[in-house]
Amino acid sequence: MCKTVKEKIQNGEQITGVFIGIYSPAIVEMCGHAGFDFIVIDDEHGAFSYSELENMIRTAELINLAPIVRVSYDNASIQKALDRGAKGIQVPMISTKEDAMQVVQKAKFPPVGNRGVAYSHRAARYGMDTGKAFIEQSNSEILVAVHIETKEAVENFEEIMGVEGIDLAFLGTTDLSVSMGYQDGPHHQEVQEAIALIYEKGKKLNVPIGTVAGNEHAARQAIEDGAIYVVAVGTSIISNAFSSFVKSTEASKK
């Protein structure tokens, strides 16, 4: 049996994925053929109906990509993503221990949490998986990642990551920068110090760190810093490739 993303993270394996915020099963297939380990379907900033979310998850599984969903702020978002078959969730804007505890409550079945139980949905193979075995497997295998992307979250890092059931701290550098008062990006020294502090705390506490990478250089830097779960931005990759192509053809015309 192939290892889950959660198992790979627990083993300290380096894995890479892609944020996808537009509905396109074809792009999911491209990511799988390219060799990524997982995709993050972006339901926070992206535009998906629940049916489209399910089709993206289904396509990821067909191409051997682990489907992770960055959930929205809708109270039902975690439940809907997991019932559709997501193998993990990323939850934005977690700033306190209490926030993290609420995530676990929504993501885990009783007795760990209070996720609603049903067996008629896709995650339970439409009723073929039921009872204790399904509940325990879901609670054990689903990846639960929380976004550390506010000044408050940095201050509360130890308490947040001490909540049982949280598997990974995802560093959101853009939101962190804005939260700290720097709207032009995370390059300011104070923001960089906060980022370094998160990596330092993660290493000290043996907490896996994930982050977003806008380009190849940023991905390599994140890995050097200590991130083992690095996510590229799909639309940026595509837009940059288009721009590069146009620039090269314009140069050849001169």
Side-chain angles (χ1 to χ4, degrees), residues 39-72:
I39 59 166
V40 180
I41 305 165
D42 189 0
D43 202 32
E44 181 191 14
H45 295 294
F48 298 97
S49 68
Y50 287 124
S51 294
E52 290 171 340
L53 191 70
E54 183 171 303
N55 282 335
M56 294 284 280
I57 291 169
R58 180 179 289 114
T59 305
E61 291 180 338
L62 289 172
I63 200 67
N64 295 319
L65 282 170
I68 311 296
V69 175
R70 176 160 70 176
V71 297
S72 72

Short mmCIF file of all heavy atoms in Angstrom, two decimals, residues 39-72:
data_model
loop_
_atom_site.label_atom_id
_atom_site.label_comp_id
_atom_site.label_asym_id
_atom_site.label_seq_id
_atom_site.Cartn_x
_atom_site.Cartn_y
_atom_site.Cartn_z
N ILE A 39 -1.75 17.78 -4.56
CA ILE A 39 -2.28 19.08 -4.95
C ILE A 39 -3.04 19.65 -3.75
O ILE A 39 -3.52 18.91 -2.90
CB ILE A 39 -3.21 19.03 -6.17
CG1 ILE A 39 -4.42 18.12 -5.90
CG2 ILE A 39 -2.47 18.62 -7.41
CD1 ILE A 39 -5.54 18.27 -6.90
N VAL A 40 -3.10 20.97 -3.69
CA VAL A 40 -3.94 21.65 -2.71
C VAL A 40 -5.03 22.39 -3.48
O VAL A 40 -4.75 23.37 -4.17
CB VAL A 40 -3.14 22.62 -1.83
CG1 VAL A 40 -4.08 23.28 -0.81
CG2 VAL A 40 -2.01 21.91 -1.11
N ILE A 41 -6.23 21.88 -3.40
CA ILE A 41 -7.36 22.51 -4.06
C ILE A 41 -7.78 23.69 -3.19
O ILE A 41 -8.14 23.52 -2.02
CB ILE A 41 -8.52 21.51 -4.23
CG1 ILE A 41 -8.02 20.26 -4.98
CG2 ILE A 41 -9.68 22.15 -4.98
CD1 ILE A 41 -8.96 19.08 -4.90
N ASP A 42 -7.68 24.88 -3.75
CA ASP A 42 -7.80 26.10 -2.95
C ASP A 42 -9.24 26.58 -2.88
O ASP A 42 -9.70 27.36 -3.72
CB ASP A 42 -6.90 27.18 -3.53
CG ASP A 42 -6.81 28.40 -2.63
OD1 ASP A 42 -7.45 28.39 -1.56
OD2 ASP A 42 -6.11 29.35 -2.99
N ASP A 43 -9.95 26.14 -1.84
CA ASP A 43 -11.33 26.55 -1.67
C ASP A 43 -11.44 27.81 -0.81
O ASP A 43 -12.54 28.29 -0.56
CB ASP A 43 -12.15 25.42 -1.03
CG ASP A 43 -13.63 25.54 -1.28
OD1 ASP A 43 -14.01 26.06 -2.35
OD2 ASP A 43 -14.42 25.12 -0.41
N GLU A 44 -10.29 28.35 -0.37
CA GLU A 44 -10.30 29.63 0.33
C GLU A 44 -10.37 30.78 -0.67
O GLU A 44 -11.23 31.65 -0.57
CB GLU A 44 -9.06 29.79 1.21
CG GLU A 44 -9.05 31.12 1.97
CD GLU A 44 -7.71 31.44 2.63
OE1 GLU A 44 -6.70 30.80 2.30
OE2 GLU A 44 -7.69 32.36 3.47
N HIS A 45 -9.46 30.78 -1.63
CA HIS A 45 -9.41 31.86 -2.61
C HIS A 45 -9.92 31.43 -3.99
O HIS A 45 -10.20 32.29 -4.83
CB HIS A 45 -7.97 32.36 -2.77
CG HIS A 45 -7.42 32.99 -1.53
ND1 HIS A 45 -7.92 34.16 -1.01
CD2 HIS A 45 -6.42 32.60 -0.71
CE1 HIS A 45 -7.25 34.48 0.09
NE2 HIS A 45 -6.34 33.55 0.30
N GLY A 46 -10.03 30.14 -4.22
CA GLY A 46 -10.49 29.64 -5.51
C GLY A 46 -12.00 29.65 -5.63
O GLY A 46 -12.72 30.08 -4.72
N ALA A 47 -12.48 29.17 -6.76
CA ALA A 47 -13.92 29.18 -7.05
C ALA A 47 -14.36 27.77 -7.42
O ALA A 47 -14.13 27.31 -8.53
CB ALA A 47 -14.23 30.15 -8.19
N PHE A 48 -14.97 27.07 -6.47
CA PHE A 48 -15.40 25.69 -6.70
C PHE A 48 -16.78 25.46 -6.11
O PHE A 48 -17.07 25.87 -4.98
CB PHE A 48 -14.44 24.70 -6.03
CG PHE A 48 -13.03 24.75 -6.54
CD1 PHE A 48 -12.06 25.47 -5.86
CD2 PHE A 48 -12.66 24.07 -7.69
CE1 PHE A 48 -10.76 25.51 -6.31
CE2 PHE A 48 -11.36 24.11 -8.16
CZ PHE A 48 -10.41 24.83 -7.47
N SER A 49 -17.61 24.77 -6.88
CA SER A 49 -18.81 24.19 -6.29
C SER A 49 -18.37 22.89 -5.61
O SER A 49 -17.26 22.40 -5.84
CB SER A 49 -19.86 23.89 -7.37
OG SER A 49 -19.39 22.83 -8.21
N TYR A 50 -19.23 22.32 -4.79
CA TYR A 50 -18.85 21.06 -4.13
C TYR A 50 -18.72 19.92 -5.14
O TYR A 50 -17.90 19.02 -4.97
CB TYR A 50 -19.85 20.71 -3.03
CG TYR A 50 -19.71 21.60 -1.82
CD1 TYR A 50 -20.79 22.34 -1.34
CD2 TYR A 50 -18.49 21.72 -1.16
CE1 TYR A 50 -20.64 23.16 -0.23
CE2 TYR A 50 -18.34 22.55 -0.06
CZ TYR A 50 -19.43 23.26 0.41
OH TYR A 50 -19.28 24.08 1.49
N SER A 51 -19.52 19.95 -6.20
CA SER A 51 -19.39 18.93 -7.25
C SER A 51 -18.05 19.05 -7.96
O SER A 51 -17.39 18.05 -8.27
CB SER A 51 -20.53 19.05 -8.26
OG SER A 51 -21.77 18.75 -7.66
N GLU A 52 -17.64 20.30 -8.24
CA GLU A 52 -16.35 20.52 -8.88
C GLU A 52 -15.21 20.10 -7.96
O GLU A 52 -14.21 19.52 -8.40
CB GLU A 52 -16.21 21.98 -9.27
CG GLU A 52 -17.13 22.39 -10.42
CD GLU A 52 -17.14 23.89 -10.66
OE1 GLU A 52 -16.75 24.65 -9.75
OE2 GLU A 52 -17.54 24.29 -11.77
N LEU A 53 -15.34 20.40 -6.68
CA LEU A 53 -14.35 19.98 -5.69
C LEU A 53 -14.19 18.47 -5.73
O LEU A 53 -13.07 17.94 -5.75
CB LEU A 53 -14.79 20.43 -4.31
CG LEU A 53 -13.78 20.33 -3.17
CD1 LEU A 53 -12.67 21.35 -3.34
CD2 LEU A 53 -14.49 20.54 -1.82
N GLU A 54 -15.30 17.77 -5.77
CA GLU A 54 -15.25 16.30 -5.82
C GLU A 54 -14.58 15.81 -7.09
O GLU A 54 -13.79 14.85 -7.06
CB GLU A 54 -16.67 15.74 -5.71
CG GLU A 54 -16.72 14.22 -5.67
CD GLU A 54 -18.10 13.69 -5.35
OE1 GLU A 54 -18.64 14.07 -4.28
OE2 GLU A 54 -18.63 12.90 -6.16
N ASN A 55 -14.86 16.43 -8.23
CA ASN A 55 -14.23 16.01 -9.48
C ASN A 55 -12.72 16.25 -9.47
O ASN A 55 -11.95 15.46 -10.03
CB ASN A 55 -14.88 16.72 -10.66
CG ASN A 55 -16.20 16.12 -11.05
OD1 ASN A 55 -16.46 14.94 -10.78
ND2 ASN A 55 -17.07 16.91 -11.68
N MET A 56 -12.29 17.34 -8.84
CA MET A 56 -10.85 17.59 -8.71
C MET A 56 -10.19 16.53 -7.84
O MET A 56 -9.10 16.03 -8.15
CB MET A 56 -10.63 18.99 -8.13
CG MET A 56 -11.09 20.14 -9.01
SD MET A 56 -9.99 20.48 -10.40
CE MET A 56 -8.71 21.45 -9.58
N ILE A 57 -10.85 16.16 -6.75
CA ILE A 57 -10.33 15.13 -5.86
C ILE A 57 -10.28 13.79 -6.59
O ILE A 57 -9.28 13.06 -6.52
CB ILE A 57 -11.21 15.03 -4.60
CG1 ILE A 57 -11.04 16.28 -3.74
CG2 ILE A 57 -10.87 13.78 -3.79
CD1 ILE A 57 -12.04 16.41 -2.61
N ARG A 58 -11.34 13.47 -7.30
CA ARG A 58 -11.40 12.21 -8.05
C ARG A 58 -10.28 12.12 -9.08
O ARG A 58 -9.61 11.10 -9.21
CB ARG A 58 -12.77 12.09 -8.73
CG ARG A 58 -12.96 10.82 -9.53
CD ARG A 58 -14.35 10.78 -10.15
NE ARG A 58 -15.38 10.57 -9.15
CZ ARG A 58 -16.32 11.48 -8.83
NH1 ARG A 58 -16.33 12.66 -9.44
NH2 ARG A 58 -17.23 11.20 -7.93
N THR A 59 -10.05 13.21 -9.80
CA THR A 59 -8.99 13.24 -10.81
C THR A 59 -7.62 13.05 -10.16
O THR A 59 -6.77 12.32 -10.68
CB THR A 59 -9.01 14.56 -11.59
OG1 THR A 59 -10.31 14.74 -12.15
CG2 THR A 59 -7.98 14.54 -12.71
N ALA A 60 -7.40 13.70 -9.02
CA ALA A 60 -6.11 13.57 -8.32
C ALA A 60 -5.84 12.12 -7.96
O ALA A 60 -4.72 11.61 -8.15
CB ALA A 60 -6.11 14.44 -7.07
N GLU A 61 -6.84 11.44 -7.47
CA GLU A 61 -6.66 10.03 -7.09
C GLU A 61 -6.36 9.16 -8.30
O GLU A 61 -5.54 8.23 -8.22
CB GLU A 61 -7.90 9.53 -6.36
CG GLU A 61 -8.09 10.17 -5.00
CD GLU A 61 -9.33 9.68 -4.28
OE1 GLU A 61 -10.26 9.17 -4.95
OE2 GLU A 61 -9.36 9.80 -3.05
N LEU A 62 -6.98 9.47 -9.43
CA LEU A 62 -6.75 8.68 -10.64
C LEU A 62 -5.32 8.82 -11.16
O LEU A 62 -4.80 7.92 -11.82
CB LEU A 62 -7.74 9.11 -11.74
CG LEU A 62 -9.20 8.70 -11.52
CD1 LEU A 62 -10.11 9.34 -12.57
CD2 LEU A 62 -9.35 7.18 -11.54
N ILE A 63 -4.67 9.95 -10.86
CA ILE A 63 -3.32 10.22 -11.35
C ILE A 63 -2.29 10.04 -10.23
O ILE A 63 -1.12 10.43 -10.35
CB ILE A 63 -3.24 11.63 -11.98
CG1 ILE A 63 -2.04 11.77 -12.92
CG2 ILE A 63 -3.27 12.71 -10.93
CD1 ILE A 63 -2.14 10.94 -14.15
N ASN A 64 -2.73 9.43 -9.10
CA ASN A 64 -1.85 9.13 -7.96
C ASN A 64 -1.29 10.38 -7.27
O ASN A 64 -0.14 10.40 -6.82
CB ASN A 64 -0.70 8.21 -8.38
CG ASN A 64 -1.19 6.84 -8.80
OD1 ASN A 64 -2.09 6.28 -8.18
ND2 ASN A 64 -0.61 6.30 -9.87
N LEU A 65 -2.11 11.42 -7.21
CA LEU A 65 -1.79 12.60 -6.42
C LEU A 65 -2.66 12.59 -5.16
O LEU A 65 -3.84 12.25 -5.23
CB LEU A 65 -2.13 13.88 -7.20
CG LEU A 65 -1.17 14.36 -8.28
CD1 LEU A 65 -1.84 15.48 -9.06
CD2 LEU A 65 0.12 14.85 -7.67
N ALA A 66 -2.10 12.96 -4.05
CA ALA A 66 -2.90 13.09 -2.83
C ALA A 66 -3.70 14.39 -2.89
O ALA A 66 -3.11 15.46 -3.02
CB ALA A 66 -2.01 13.06 -1.60
N PRO A 67 -5.03 14.33 -2.78
CA PRO A 67 -5.83 15.55 -2.82
C PRO A 67 -5.99 16.17 -1.43
O PRO A 67 -6.58 15.57 -0.53
CB PRO A 67 -7.17 15.05 -3.36
CG PRO A 67 -7.26 13.62 -2.91
CD PRO A 67 -5.85 13.12 -2.79
N ILE A 68 -5.46 17.37 -1.28
CA ILE A 68 -5.60 18.15 -0.06
C ILE A 68 -6.48 19.36 -0.39
O ILE A 68 -6.39 19.90 -1.50
CB ILE A 68 -4.23 18.64 0.46
CG1 ILE A 68 -3.21 17.48 0.51
CG2 ILE A 68 -4.37 19.33 1.81
CD1 ILE A 68 -3.55 16.38 1.46
N VAL A 69 -7.30 19.79 0.53
CA VAL A 69 -8.15 20.96 0.29
C VAL A 69 -7.83 22.05 1.30
O VAL A 69 -7.83 21.80 2.51
CB VAL A 69 -9.65 20.59 0.39
CG1 VAL A 69 -10.51 21.85 0.26
CG2 VAL A 69 -10.03 19.58 -0.68
N ARG A 70 -7.51 23.25 0.79
CA ARG A 70 -7.47 24.41 1.67
C ARG A 70 -8.90 24.90 1.78
O ARG A 70 -9.47 25.40 0.81
CB ARG A 70 -6.55 25.51 1.13
CG ARG A 70 -6.60 26.75 2.02
CD ARG A 70 -5.42 27.67 1.85
NE ARG A 70 -5.39 28.37 0.58
CZ ARG A 70 -4.47 29.29 0.25
NH1 ARG A 70 -3.52 29.61 1.12
NH2 ARG A 70 -4.49 29.87 -0.93
N VAL A 71 -9.47 24.75 2.97
CA VAL A 71 -10.89 24.97 3.13
C VAL A 71 -11.22 26.45 3.21
O VAL A 71 -10.36 27.30 3.45
CB VAL A 71 -11.41 24.24 4.39
CG1 VAL A 71 -11.22 22.74 4.24
CG2 VAL A 71 -10.72 24.75 5.65
N SER A 72 -12.51 26.75 3.02
CA SER A 72 -13.00 28.11 3.11
C SER A 72 -13.39 28.41 4.56
O SER A 72 -13.19 27.60 5.46
CB SER A 72 -14.19 28.31 2.19
OG SER A 72 -15.33 27.63 2.71
#
